[in-house]
Amino acid sequence: MTEYGRGPGSEPWHPEDPLYGDQGWGGQQPAHGQSQYDGRQQPYPSQDPYAQQHPQQDQQHQQDPYAQQHQQDPYAQQPQYQQQPPYGAQQDPYAQQPPYNGGWDTGQQPAAMPYEGQQAAPYGYGETNDYYGTPEAYPPPQPPGRREAAPEQAPAQHPDWDPEVQPEETHPFFTGADDGDAKDDDSYDDGPRESRRGNGDGERRGKGKKKKGRSGCACLVVSLVLVGGLGGAGYVGYSFYKDKFGAAPDYAGSGSGSVEVEIPKGAYGYDIGNILKKVGVVKSVDAFVSAQNENPKGKSIQAGVYLLHSEMSASEAVKMMVDPKSQNLLVIPEGTRNVAVYAMVDKKLNLKKGTTEGIAKSKKSDLGLPGWASKNKDIKDPLEGFLYPAAYPVTKETKPEAILKKMVSRSNEEYDKLDLAGAAKKHNLDGPWQMLTAASLVQAEGKTHDDFRKMAEVIYNRLKPTNTETNQYLQFDSSFNYLNKQSKINITLEEIRKNKDPYNTYTRQGLTPGPIGNPGNEALAAALNPTNDGWIYFVATDGEHKTEFAKTYKEFLKLKEKFDGLD
């Protein structure tokens, strides 16, 4: 069967082929004034859906063409279905448009509505609107076998742009242009486009030409800034590592010169290191703390005045501070009488003999004695028992009155830790003053810690009103030696009986009027907590022999035969 409108060499039409364009495979749109199939009848009239579904409408259109043009329902022109192409067939974008329903060139199909702006076809037969005849119209659809791929559009290019040439950098920072150059560029841009356009070589004419010399300077500045930043960061990192993980700064050797350093009470490792660094003894606090931790005796450094050297290594400084010889201290031993203390102060401060004792007598009420201190007129020295035995730092500028105040303050501090009033009541004594006096006697007569507790029991047992062995006489040689400012073991009975001083416990009952020395911690503790074994007698010998105790006079006589000394 011959097909119309497809042209020679075209593929035969197949019923499964979809309808494209306005009349399916009618192929080409007829020219103006020509019927679609050149006046010949359509070969497949059964394919027209409107011919079967709307016969009455076609007859109406044939009778009144004018009514057809103006009363036609626009939705009536669209087909009720469209045959879909087989799966995988190439789709035509024009197939999505609704098919032209202008009808066949038989004079019976109504004319379609013309496009906007297109002149409608005159009334009559054989003429239809040409939708592809305008210059702006889309080209007619082509069958799948004759379609060509749409040509790729080349990207729009600027007339001055060349893809082979890299664009020039125009920022003033990289070109080296200053404010004057920027002004020149602004005035240059005000000119015509031809004057600002390149000559094809990537260069600009006139004032727009680059200053390449400044570009190198800018790069050099940037490089120097980067190198400087990296160097600074490296230095900071090295300093941080050295501070955290490196060895602390330290001097070498034992130093030179002489520096007097006072370490206050309560100062520890870092506190001591800061003091030594400020006076120029050590170079850093960390070095001193490290050396103190490495020295086995480093933790024994106490408050005091030390004679050190300038710019010492931290290890040498610690070594000197743990050596008592390097400390500029006034050390008061336990049980020392005030007379001996005054002489020690004069010697330490290079003062005239008797200077400190005179200040103690004249300013006794200004040195800080507690309120419970006795004002008995028989007391030989009101400060006795209040110059607490300890080590006191002194300097060349230290005054005797200052040292005495420190000693009294230290004794008050230590006595406040003890319940002297409660202990006195427990042992039938008259307040803290007598408790302190008993402790001074324990310190003077005892030798060891065990001796102190037994000696305290001897005192309390001899003071009992029920005691018929000694009848409340203590009979201590230490009290007789105190009043005579001496230290003897062998005292004759004749000289003892001749002396009627209140401090002579051979001739006076009870305790001495006041302390006979400055007791230490052990003697104080023993006086507060004596033994309870019934000791009432003792024998002390000169030398390192142990003091022996007895409960009865008979046992005492046996001890007398055993030892040469008798007390």
Side-chain angles (χ1 to χ4, degrees), residues 484-500:
N484 290 305
K485 299 180 181 181
Q486 65 183 16
S487 294
K488 287 185 179 180
I489 297 297
N490 297 320
I491 302 174
T492 65
L493 185 59
E494 182 181 359
E495 61 180 327
I496 290 175
R497 289 177 178 176
K498 286 173 38 175
N499 193 320
K500 304 296 180 181

Side-chain angles (χ1 to χ4, degrees), residues 145-165:
R146 300 178 60 182
R147 292 175 187 161
E148 296 180 359
E152 296 182 358
Q153 295 183 359
Q157 298 183 1
H158 194 275
D160 294 339
W161 180 77
D162 187 354
E164 300 295 334
V165 179

Side-chain angles (χ1 to χ4, degrees), residues 90-358:
Q90 184 175 3
Q91 297 292 330
D92 191 342
Y94 300 105
Q96 300 177 3
Q97 300 180 2
Y100 174 69
N101 196 21
W104 311 109
D105 191 15
T106 59
Q108 298 179 358
Q109 293 292 336
M113 294 297 294
Y115 292 117
E116 182 179 358
Q118 180 181 2
Q119 184 176 2
Y123 298 106
Y125 301 98
E127 292 185 3
T128 59
N129 292 321
D130 186 4
Y131 295 98
Y132 300 97
T134 61
E136 291 82 4
Y138 287 101
Q142 298 293 331
R146 300 178 60 182
R147 292 175 187 161
E148 296 180 359
E152 296 182 358
Q153 295 183 359
Q157 298 183 1
H158 194 275
D160 294 339
W161 180 77
D162 187 354
E164 300 295 334
V165 179
Q166 295 294 331
E168 297 180 359
E169 189 63 59
T170 59
H171 196 281
F173 178 80
F174 296 97
T175 60
D178 52 10
D179 296 341
D181 296 337
K183 294 179 180 179
D184 294 343
D185 292 342
D186 293 342
S187 61
Y188 173 80
D189 289 340
D190 292 339
R193 182 178 298 274
E194 289 77 6
S195 63
R196 293 185 280 114
R197 184 172 300 171
N199 56 4
D201 297 335
E203 298 182 359
R204 299 174 64 179
R205 297 191 298 270
K207 296 181 181 180
K209 190 176 295 184
K210 291 195 308 180
K211 297 182 180 181
K212 297 183 178 180
R214 296 191 180 183
S215 177
C217 294
C219 294
L220 179 59
V221 171
V222 173
S223 300
L224 292 177
V225 171
L226 293 176
V227 171
L230 292 175
Y235 177 77
V236 171
Y238 173 75
S239 300
F240 177 81
Y241 175 82
K242 188 175 181 180
D243 292 341
K244 296 296 182 182
F245 305 104
D250 195 4
Y251 293 121
S254 58
S256 61
S258 179
V259 180
E260 189 176 70
V261 182
E262 182 175 0
I263 304 300
K265 182 180 179 181
Y268 298 99
Y270 280 97
D271 302 325
I272 298 174
N274 278 314
I275 295 173
L276 297 179
K277 181 182 178 182
K278 288 180 181 179
V279 297
V281 174
V282 298
K283 193 171 185 179
S284 67
V285 177
D286 291 337
F288 174 80
V289 174
S290 178
Q292 185 185 25
N293 293 332
E294 294 176 357
N295 193 309
K297 299 181 179 179
K299 299 297 183 179
S300 64
I301 298 176
Q302 297 179 353
V305 178
Y306 298 84
L307 295 176
L308 305 176
H309 304 300
S310 297
E311 298 185 357
M312 301 178 65
S313 67
S315 59
E316 287 293 327
V318 173
K319 184 178 179 181
M320 287 191 67
M321 295 183 76
V322 298
D323 185 1
K325 296 180 180 179
S326 65
Q327 301 180 23
N328 193 15
L329 298 174
L330 175 62
V331 180
I332 306 300
E334 296 178 348
T336 306
R337 300 172 187 166
N338 281 7
V339 175
V341 174
Y342 300 146
M344 295 170 65
V345 173
D346 290 341
K347 183 178 180 180
K348 191 70 175 179
L349 299 180
N350 297 322
L351 299 176
K352 183 180 179 180
K353 185 178 180 180
T355 302
T356 303
E357 184 176 3

